[in-house]
Amino acid sequence: MDANELLAWARGSGFDIALTIFVAGMLLRLLEVLALGNKPDLSAPRGSGPKGGVQTLLSRNLPRKAVFDREPLRIINGYVLHIGFFIVLFLYGPHIVLFESFLGFGWPGLPSGVIDAVGAITILSLIAALVFRLNNKVIRFISTKDDYVAWAVTLLPLLTGYLTYNHLVASYTMMLALHLLSVELLLVVAPFTKLTHMFSFAMARWYQGYQAGRRGVES
Amino acid sequence: MSAPSVEKGIQAIKGQIDAPVASFFSACVHCGLCAEACLFYTETGDPKYTPINKVEPMRRIWEREYTLFGKAKAALGLSKEVDADTFAEWETLVYDGCTLCGRCSLVCPVGNDISGMIRKIREGFAAAGYAPEGLIGASTRAVEIGSPMGVKLPAVQAQIKHLQKNTGLDVPIDAKGAEYLVLLSSMEIMNFPEYLEAIARIMHQAGKSWTIASKAFEATNSGIQIGVSDIAKLLVSRVVDAADELGVKTVISPECGHAFTAIRWDGANLIGRPYGFEVKHILEVLDEFVKKGLIKTEGMEDAKLTYHDPCQIARKGGVVEQPRNLLNRIASNFVEMEDAGEMNWCCGGGGGVSANERADELKLTAFNRKKAQLEALGVDTLVTACANCRLTLEEGLEENNMDIPIVGLTEMLAEYLVEDDKEQA
Amino acid sequence: MMSTISNDKQFRDALNGLNAQQQRLVGALFVENVLGLSNDPRVAQSLVVAKGTDLAEDVVNLARRSIKAACLEAHTRCGADGEWTDQAGYFVARAAEACLEPEGRSQGKGAAWKAAMSARMARTCLAADSDEDAHDTESQAQYQILTSYLDA
Amino acid sequence: MDDLTLSERLRQRGVSRRGFMKFCAATASMMALPPIMIPKVAAALEQARRPSVIWLSFQECTGCTESLTRSHAPTIEGLIFDHISLDYHHTLQAAAGDAAEHARDEAMKKNWGEYLLVVDGSIPLGENGNFSTIAGISNLEMLKEVAEGAAAIISVGTCAAFGGLPMANPNPTGAVSVSDIIKDKPIVNVPGCPPIPTVITGVLAHFLTFGRLPELDHLNRPKVFFGQNIHDRCYRRPFYERGQFAETFDDEGARKGWCLFKLGCKGPTTYNACATAKWNEGTSFPIEAGHGCIGCSEPNFWDAGGFYRALSLPHTNVGETILTAGAAGIAIGAAAAVLNRKRKSDAVDNRETITIKDLSKES
């Protein structure tokens, strides 16, 4: 299995299988959640539920001062991590081509050099996140294997992507193959780990926000 | 009715898991920020008090029962079960170590309502027989006698007679067609009778018709605290039936935290239909009266004072502005403590913790958070709007020999009412 | 000679006429009238200080802290099975605490008036379980105490 | 067979000493040899005897030969090509039929173990090799036979090196590459469709100069020519760095010579010398001409996804995959949902009402 065959597989059936498991898996999880139902709130409303849902969807993007003051570094690192990941994923030319292929529309990207730098920062931020996880007694206490698996499968694409872009370690062909395989690993693992939060966070915020909005309570 | 069992407990939790709970467990990324918002963790430093860890048994049941992947893992013996040991180990986390204050739910970056889940998981713990002694006693008295502290109607009548003698005001009982039905919490009847007197004087000046229901004078709801919806439904139905019978327009929830949650938010869902009347917290009513000019105050309290936001009233009840409006009218030196408002810290005694003797020591440790807030401020008086907060704070201050008197806001407001000529008996 | 006091308005006006020291003394008298309802020795001790004149500040403070603790302990815990007889003891302790309250913290009411109210409340507690009208007797007794104090 | 040395022959053709030395310098530099090696190259080339070369063409399109013979413009490289004793080449030799085969046998016998075997075109295995025969002998047999006496084999073009077009899916003839058959001879793969002419002569010159094959990579390609990918040497790389891509072949970006990544350029995954040696004597190479590299020197480049699909695009239709996966997800999800709903309603329905009597364990 030389690099070219590996790349061909990764760009072919490998991608297909992974994407299928990802989409099917996430939908399965979504339907499993929705099936459990949500009884309507019969108490007299003070405000609008949907408005509360939307507000909470946005409000939770920023930390509350009381908690931020206690863990500023860890929270800031969380932002670097996520924003970096989104920039690399959504604003890199070649990635935009991929989205364009099935969305039908694309958008301008950032210079590849910038993406490279942001990728490096994101990798460091992810590593910092692991250090935080291991050193903070609360998170270490509540961490499970799932957290470390999710961390690893998130780091690999960034790492291989960085090495591929900079033509390091092995031939570009092999590195691109490894990059795609690591993305596929992420896609396959995602529906069965905490990575479901990439979608379920919106549901969770909406549910709590809806109740809070309806009750005219801060959320 | 069968004896409590682990199986019943698990069944109860399975019944409580709904789409929101499932979405919460699918969203939690174990970031640990909920712990940073929980005074049981911040004051003990023990990671087991991390809020999301408190609902771990429910997460296990959700994963094993309601996800294909979870069932597969269970079949391969890769996931932990929930058994008697689990209940025993988690009992002190779910009851002693949580006042259902909701602060964790407010800071969770992915929006998980963790305190809501703890309320749900208590259904399982109670059904499995792992509810604390104190709460079982309180619930039993609430169901059998009518009040968790065993207060019977004659006691209320005696207090009413006392009040009528002092103020010459009438306290109508079971008055049909009254606009307001006033509820009292046992704590107020027993330890802080001034509340009823304040209500009488305020209603009198506002010229509003009000009444107390002989069959439903008790506002508290131990069913909410112990986490048994069946009991909560029974208790709240008394109030609803009385309100419907008397045809009142509005039921006033007194200065009590969980009572407001019980009657304002949970009641309709427990009995399964919307109310035919409105429910307001006493502070909402007072704020309305003041705004409409129905009651006027004179004179100002000049002592430096601050306000403690009871969690169920401010964070969970949305009654945040009203106390500020009221205090600004009657206090010239009102200062806010840090994190005041919906992010205020809990007193440590709510959600049934104060009724649970086993949790006393933990409660006092948790109080250090409030102590820090008060020390940073240096006030002469502490105002609050929940009888249980008031008692918990008093015990905490006493323990730390901090000499700060605590007064209920309604009682304080009554003291500054414009003196109309009280006709003497 | 003040006219006999027959209602609370006159009772209250008369009390307001007293200075802090006198308020403390009259309050202590009111508490003594219901002392039998409390079995906490600290209450009696605090009355000694309340009735004492020009005492050292720390003695007063010490008494104040001890009666405050007594008062707190007499509380019925939230959710605990309340006993009205114990509760009466709580109100007696609270009446005693009112007597020793520092001047600045009267919140619009005199120490003596607050002591009187708590004392009456202590009496009412006994009525909680039975329906005998204990309340009136206490008020009349308090009018008598005040009148005899003013006459002396 | 005249035994003139290369330099003697060149002088016959009127190539001056200086011209010859210029050629040696060009060859040395192309092989990344240091300048001091130029005299050594010149000396070796001067003395080089005319090696016997047997050229076997199997399933091929003659593109490689076209590229090598440069029939349209004879150059010094062409001359060197004349220098080698091309004893057998279907397209170029005058002889035909038995005479041609006889010439091949002669050459083999005369230079057994010495001659150089050059192959272009892939070797079909289907129908036990009879998809392609010469004079009744299947390519497979001929290759084995001739390879036995060869000093070394040069597979010219992607077909010979890696199977090329004939081996592309569905590979009706069961085509394979030379190295799939011959395992016991030193083989140099000079892939490309076609390969760059100077790369071929470079390999020949290396063989003549040093009497052995150049350093090879993991696919047996001379590292000196196939050591780096086009992307690293591409003059449009700065546009790639700045994220400036042509979106279509005639848009503003294309006219400005921006990077052709989005138009399917396979520069990054293709190892060849096009970007440096360029074609037609360094005139240009596909990217410079405005068309993306199609990766012709890589194995299975025909099956590596469309030439106009960007490298970051999977071969599959992502949209379709998502839809089919979505359908599957909803189907499984619906089943799981029904199960969940039932388990939940069971739990709720079978739950006994809890009264104050059912709370403490002792009771």
Side-chain angles (χ1 to χ4, degrees):
Chain A
M1 190 59 139
D2 83 326
N4 283 293
E5 281 153 13
L6 198 62
L7 180 61
W9 186 83
R11 290 180 64 206
S13 41
F15 189 84
D16 229 17
I17 296 164
L19 188 62
T20 305
I21 293 174
F22 177 74
V23 171
M26 284 298 186
L27 277 169
L28 166 66
R29 292 301 295 268
L30 175 69
L31 292 174
E32 274 176 341
V33 165
L34 293 177
L36 298 172
N38 181 22
K39 285 213 295 290
D41 186 350
L42 299 175
S43 64
R46 268 203 198 125
S48 127
K51 193 158 154 303
V54 170
Q55 263 167 352
T56 304
L57 263 177
L58 302 174
S59 72
R60 295 306 169 91
N61 288 330
L62 294 174
R64 288 190 178 269
K65 184 181 173 310
V67 170
F68 181 76
D69 293 346
R70 293 181 62 89
E71 281 296 333
L73 276 185
R74 199 145 51 85
I75 290 175
I76 290 170
N77 186 51
Y79 285 109
V80 170
L81 176 66
H82 281 90
I83 292 168
F85 188 84
F86 294 144
I87 287 176
V88 170
L89 181 59
F90 293 113
L91 294 181
Y92 178 48
H95 291 167
I96 296 170
V97 169
L98 171 63
F99 295 117
E100 202 169 352
S101 74
F102 65 91
L103 291 176
F105 62 90
W107 50 87
L110 288 176
S112 314
V114 169
I115 301 292
D116 180 39
V118 171
I121 294 168
T122 309
I123 290 169
L124 293 177
S125 166
L126 249 173
I127 291 166
L130 180 68
V131 169
F132 281 131
R133 182 165 290 280
L134 293 173
N135 288 346
N136 177 298
K137 62 181 183 206
V138 163
I139 323 184
R140 200 172 54 240
F141 181 84
I142 57 177
S143 288
T144 60
K145 282 196 295 302
D146 171 90
D147 292 299
Y148 299 110
V149 165
W151 177 83
V153 296
T154 309
L155 180 74
L156 279 177
L158 283 163
L159 207 58
T160 49
Y162 184 81
L163 295 176
T164 307
Y165 175 78
N166 289 293
H167 299 205
L168 301 171
V169 175
S171 72
Y172 188 100
T173 318
M174 176 55 88
M175 283 319 297
L176 183 60
L178 292 180
H179 179 62
L180 292 181
L181 290 173
S182 65
V183 169
E184 279 141 31
L185 178 66
L186 170 63
L187 289 176
V188 167
V189 162
F192 310 104
T193 63
K194 69 175 185 182
L195 292 176
T196 50
H197 80 273
M198 63 177 83
F199 298 117
S200 55
F201 86 95
M203 286 173 71
R205 286 183 183 178
W206 175 269
Y207 278 128
Q208 182 172 167
Y210 187 93
Q211 182 179 52
R214 200 173 171 286
R215 294 183 175 183
V217 159
E218 182 68 29
S219 170
Chain B
M1 297 319 153
S2 59
S5 72
V6 166
E7 184 40 40
K8 271 178 76 177
I10 294 177
Q11 280 298 332
I13 293 177
K14 263 176 77 175
Q16 285 291 322
I17 296 174
D18 56 8
V21 168
S23 76
F24 298 151
F25 285 134
S26 306
C28 174
V29 293
H30 292 146
C31 74
L33 286 184
C34 51
E36 302 304 333
C38 172
L39 75 171
F40 287 100
Y41 165 68
T42 57
E43 299 319 303
T44 60
D46 189 334
K48 70 178 180 183
Y49 288 114
T50 303
I52 198 70
N53 175 54
K54 292 170 184 165
V55 285
E56 172 61 13
M58 182 144 77
R59 191 201 63 75
R60 286 184 199 164
I61 292 171
W62 160 71
E63 191 182 46
R64 292 169 72 93
E65 299 290 339
Y66 290 127
T67 66
L68 286 187
F69 184 57
K71 291 188 192 101
K73 275 207 306 192
L76 301 170
L78 295 176
S79 59
K80 294 200 201 97
E81 276 195 322
V82 171
D83 53 23
D85 299 340
T86 322
F87 279 108
E89 188 188 342
W90 256 268
E91 178 185 357
T92 54
L93 300 182
V94 160
Y95 282 105
D96 311 25
C98 176
T99 57
L100 298 173
C101 85
R103 209 158 181 277
C104 52
S105 306
L106 221 52
V107 299
C108 173
V110 289
N112 292 349
D113 178 8
I114 304 166
S115 69
M117 287 200 276
I118 292 181
R119 164 68 185 76
K120 281 176 182 287
I121 202 174
R122 285 186 177 182
E123 296 279 345
F125 275 72
Y130 286 86
E133 269 319 304
L135 279 176
I136 294 177
S139 300
T140 308
R141 281 187 294 280
V143 169
E144 285 170 349
I145 304 167
S147 137
M149 294 167 77
V151 173
K152 298 190 192 64
L153 188 60
V156 178
Q157 285 161 335
Q159 290 221 343
I160 288 175
K161 228 187 258 95
H162 165 85
L163 186 149
Q164 278 163 338
K165 287 289 172 305
N166 284 353
T167 62
L169 294 171
D170 176 24
V171 177
I173 293 187
D174 291 341
K176 266 204 176 354
E179 190 178 344
Y180 292 95
L181 170 64
V182 168
L183 300 175
L184 301 168
S185 74
S186 313
M187 282 289 274
E188 282 156 343
I189 301 168
M190 296 201 81
N191 295 325
F192 308 114
E194 305 75 22
Y195 173 75
L196 185 57
E197 188 180 317
I199 291 286
R201 292 180 55 229
I202 287 165
M203 287 295 181
H204 175 69
Q205 187 172 112
K208 289 285 182 180
S209 63
W210 64 290
T211 182
I212 286 183
S214 56
K215 291 205 288 304
F217 55 83
E218 176 59 64
T220 62
N221 193 321
S222 313
I224 295 286
Q225 295 182 324
I226 197 171
V228 176
S229 297
D230 302 327
I231 295 174
K233 173 181 173 183
L234 188 146
L235 296 177
V236 81
S237 303
R238 291 178 181 157
V239 174
V240 175
D241 298 344
D244 289 342
E245 227 172 82
L246 297 173
V248 295
K249 197 169 83 57
T250 306
V251 168
I252 300 181
S253 176
E255 286 198 347
C256 169
H258 81 277
F260 184 57
T261 299
I263 182 77
R264 179 67 178 84
W265 306 122
D266 291 357
N269 297 313
L270 289 168
I271 63 174
R273 62 168 176 77
Y275 296 149
F277 49 84
E278 276 187 274
V279 174
K280 288 192 179 121
H281 189 262
I282 180 62
L283 295 187
E284 290 179 284
V285 173
L286 294 181
D287 192 43
E288 257 171 50
F289 284 177
V290 166
K291 283 202 174 99
K292 288 183 186 139
L294 293 171
I295 51 176
K296 295 182 193 54
T297 59
E298 62 179 348
M300 295 280 245
E301 168 66 54
D302 45 24
K304 183 176 180 186
L305 56 86
T306 187
Y307 174 74
H308 161 71
D309 292 277
C311 307
Q312 302 296 331
I313 294 166
R315 186 165 28 257
K316 295 255 177 134
V319 177
V320 179
E321 281 321 307
Q322 293 87 342
R324 270 85 192 168
N325 301 344
L326 297 170
L327 277 173
N328 286 329
R329 295 187 79 81
I330 54 172
S332 58
N333 194 356
F334 166 46
V335 290
E336 292 276 17
M337 58 174 89
E338 209 204 343
D339 296 333
E342 77 282 346
M343 272 303 280
N344 209 331
W345 291 88
C346 178
C347 70
V353 169
S354 56
N356 170 9
E357 258 152 62
R358 181 184 59 199
D360 278 358
E361 207 209 324
L362 181 58
K363 178 177 72 175
L364 282 175
T365 314
F367 176 79
N368 290 335
R369 193 80 280 289
K370 189 55 66 176
K371 173 183 171 202
Q373 282 182 293
L374 292 172
E375 272 168 352
L377 216 53
V379 288
D380 305 330
T381 308
L382 177 60
V383 184
T384 188
C386 159
N388 185 37
C389 282
R390 197 167 151 182
L391 187 58
T392 307
L393 291 167
E394 268 172 14
E395 281 160 12
L397 292 172
E398 177 60 27
E399 187 68 24
N400 295 279
N401 45 58
M402 291 163 72
D403 184 13
I404 306 175
I406 303 176
V407 67
L409 179 51
T410 307
E411 178 193 329
M412 184 176 174
L413 186 81
E415 271 156 29
Y416 289 90
L417 279 183
V418 167
E419 282 295 324
D420 52 7
D421 48 348
K422 279 199 287 302
E423 49 303 352
Q424 283 309 65
Chain C
M1 254 295 287
M2 290 281 288
S3 61
T4 58
I5 297 165
S6 60
N7 64 43
D8 272 350
K9 186 156 183 3
Q10 294 161 343
F11 179 69
R12 186 187 178 106
D13 297 344
L15 286 178
N16 285 347
L18 305 175
N19 65 36
Q21 173 55 30
Q22 291 168 321
Q23 293 244 3
R24 233 204 297 251
L25 193 63
V26 167
L29 294 176
F30 292 147
V31 178
E32 267 165 12
N33 192 38
V34 288
L35 199 50
L37 301 180
S38 156
N39 43 37
D40 187 329
R42 284 176 289 188
V43 178
Q45 286 156 7
S46 76
L47 291 186
V48 165
V49 171
K51 288 161 74 179
T53 49
D54 48 54
L55 293 162
E57 195 46 33
D58 55 1
V59 169
V60 174
N61 278 343
L62 198 63
R64 183 175 298 135
R65 283 213 41 254
S66 113
I67 188 64
K68 201 163 160 30
C71 195
L72 208 56
E73 274 156 39
H75 263 120
T76 311
R77 294 176 60 94
C78 164
D81 192 353
E83 270 310 318
W84 280 104
T85 44
D86 303 343
Q87 203 56 17
Y90 159 67
F91 283 109
V92 171
R94 216 170 67 159
E97 187 196 4
C99 303
L100 290 174
E101 205 171 53
E103 282 71 21
R105 207 175 289 162
S106 62
Q107 264 145 21
K109 275 194 258 170
W113 168 266
K114 286 171 87 170
M117 285 310 116
S118 293
R120 291 189 198 170
M121 198 50 222
R123 192 65 73 188
T124 312
C125 286
L126 303 186
D129 288 340
S130 63
D131 54 12
E132 48 97 5
D133 187 351
H135 187 275
D136 267 351
T137 51
E138 193 52 36
S139 326
Q140 297 311 330
Q142 286 177 349
Y143 297 158
Q144 233 22 31
I145 294 169
L146 181 55
T147 322
S148 57
Y149 171 75
L150 291 174
D151 294 352
Chain D
M1 284 290 285
D2 59 28
D3 285 340
L4 293 176
T5 65
L6 176 63
S7 59
E8 291 145 1
R9 297 190 61 75
L10 287 177
R11 255 191 301 290
Q12 268 181 3
R13 292 293 178 93
V15 172
S16 68
R17 175 72 186 159
R18 219 174 64 74
F20 173 68
M21 286 309 288
K22 205 158 76 67
F23 166 72
C24 293
T27 306
S29 75
M30 203 166 48
M31 292 195 290
L33 298 174
I36 58 166
M37 289 291 287
I38 295 174
K40 190 165 187 318
V41 168
L45 281 182
E46 276 167 352
Q47 303 317 321
R49 287 276 147 265
R50 289 189 62 180
S52 161
V53 173
I54 293 180
W55 183 290
L56 295 180
S57 295
F58 298 129
Q59 287 194 128
E60 41 82 50
C61 67
T62 320
C64 295
T65 309
E66 175 75 30
S67 160
L68 295 181
T69 54
R70 310 289 290 244
S71 53
H72 58 285
T75 61
I76 293 184
E77 288 91 350
L79 286 176
I80 191 168
F81 183 70
D82 294 344
H83 170 63
I84 59 174
S85 157
L86 183 61
D87 300 334
Y88 182 86
H89 189 294
H90 265 241
T91 320
L92 299 179
Q93 70 189 74
D98 288 347
E101 294 317 311
H102 178 62
R104 179 168 56 76
D105 290 344
E106 266 310 305
M108 281 168 65
K109 265 203 253 17
K110 183 166 176 301
N111 306 295
W112 187 260
E114 288 299 319
Y115 58 81
L116 201 61
L117 169 58
V118 178
V119 179
D120 76 326
S122 64
I123 303 97
L125 300 181
E127 301 296 329
N128 49 58
N130 289 326
F131 267 106
S132 168
T133 61
I134 305 167
I137 307 166
S138 74
N139 297 161
L140 180 60
E141 287 317 314
M142 182 175 286
L143 173 64
K144 286 181 183 162
E145 186 198 326
V146 177
E148 216 187 317
I153 304 173
I154 300 180
S155 304
V156 167
T158 301
C159 295
F162 302 132
L165 172 66
M167 201 169 94
N169 194 7
N171 192 358
T173 66
V176 288
S177 69
V178 171
S179 42
D180 287 339
I181 302 164
I182 308 299
K183 303 292 182 189
D184 55 0
K185 288 285 179 183
I187 299 178
V188 178
N189 287 329
V190 181
C193 189
I196 304 168
T198 41
V199 167
I200 290 303
T201 45
V203 171
L204 282 173
H206 188 285
F207 186 75
L208 297 177
T209 311
F210 301 104
R212 52 175 168 69
L213 299 176
E215 194 192 343
L216 305 177
D217 72 3
H218 63 290
L219 291 175
N220 292 334
R221 299 175 299 193
K223 273 195 175 155
V224 74
F225 301 119
F226 299 92
Q228 283 162 1
N229 61 27
I230 309 293
H231 192 60
D232 281 352
R233 292 288 176 185
C234 178
Y235 76 103
R236 296 192 177 198
R237 183 61 182 279
F239 297 116
Y240 173 85
E241 295 301 336
R242 281 199 292 278
Q244 291 169 320
F245 300 104
E247 302 286 337
T248 65
F249 278 109
D250 59 359
D251 74 350
E252 182 224 355
R255 274 194 288 279
K256 283 188 179 148
W258 286 357
C259 169
L260 300 170
F261 183 92
K262 290 193 175 176
L263 292 168
C265 176
K266 300 301 182 307
T269 55
T270 306
Y271 286 77
N272 203 338
C274 308
T276 44
K278 298 199 180 177
W279 291 74
N280 308 325
E281 294 137 50
T283 309
S284 171
F285 70 111
I287 294 173
E288 192 169 346
H291 188 287
C293 157
I294 60 171
C296 71
S297 63
E298 293 297 325
N300 307 314
F301 81 96
W302 288 100
D303 298 332
F307 293 147
Y308 302 101
R309 279 184 76 80
L311 256 180
S312 56
L313 287 180
H315 304 326
T316 57
N317 178 326
V318 176
E320 262 165 40
T321 312
I322 292 179
L323 291 178
T324 42
I330 289 172
I332 310 164
V338 166
L339 192 67
N340 272 7
R341 191 171 285 279
K342 187 175 176 318
R343 289 175 88 105
K344 165 123 193 222
S345 53
D346 288 353
V348 172
D349 299 346
N350 314 344
R351 192 187 68 83
E352 290 156 43
T353 308
I354 296 173
T355 70
I356 45 175
K357 306 256 174 321
D358 319 321
L359 290 176
S360 36
K361 289 206 253 306
E362 303 78 25
S363 72

